[in-house]
Amino acid sequence: MATVQINVRVDPKLKQAIDDYCRPRGIAVNHFVQEALIDRLEELEDIEDLKGVRHEPTRPLSDVLAELGLDD
């Protein structure tokens, strides 16, 4: 996979915390930051999805179970 470099300035305490977390675990800081960015983007997408379904009508669980034939 091709990669590009991005630059960001962070608080020195944050950088130290990242280093302190990654170093003893053998995690590359680059990998840690990349995964954190991916996770955050996924969270933001999930939030947008939730906003879209927030006002959809709901159905009682008993109706859904009956429809699925699981209403013992």
Side-chain angles (χ1 to χ4, degrees), residues 7-50:
N7 296 306
V8 61
R9 293 188 181 276
V10 297
D11 185 284
K13 290 179 183 178
L14 174 58
K15 173 65 167 94
Q16 188 62 53
I18 293 169
D19 289 342
D20 290 347
Y21 180 85
C22 291
R23 188 177 306 112
R25 292 168 176 81
I27 301 170
V29 171
N30 182 62
H31 178 76
F32 178 83
V33 171
Q34 184 168 324
E35 290 298 311
L37 290 170
I38 290 169
D39 288 346
R40 182 63 177 144
L41 286 171
E42 289 173 349
E43 287 173 8
L44 292 170
E45 286 178 359
D46 290 344
I47 289 169
E48 289 302 313
D49 290 344
L50 287 173

Side-chain angles (χ1 to χ4, degrees), residues 48-60:
E48 289 302 313
D49 290 344
L50 287 173
K51 287 178 184 177
V53 299
R54 177 174 284 157
H55 299 292
E56 288 185 3
T58 60
R59 296 173 31 197

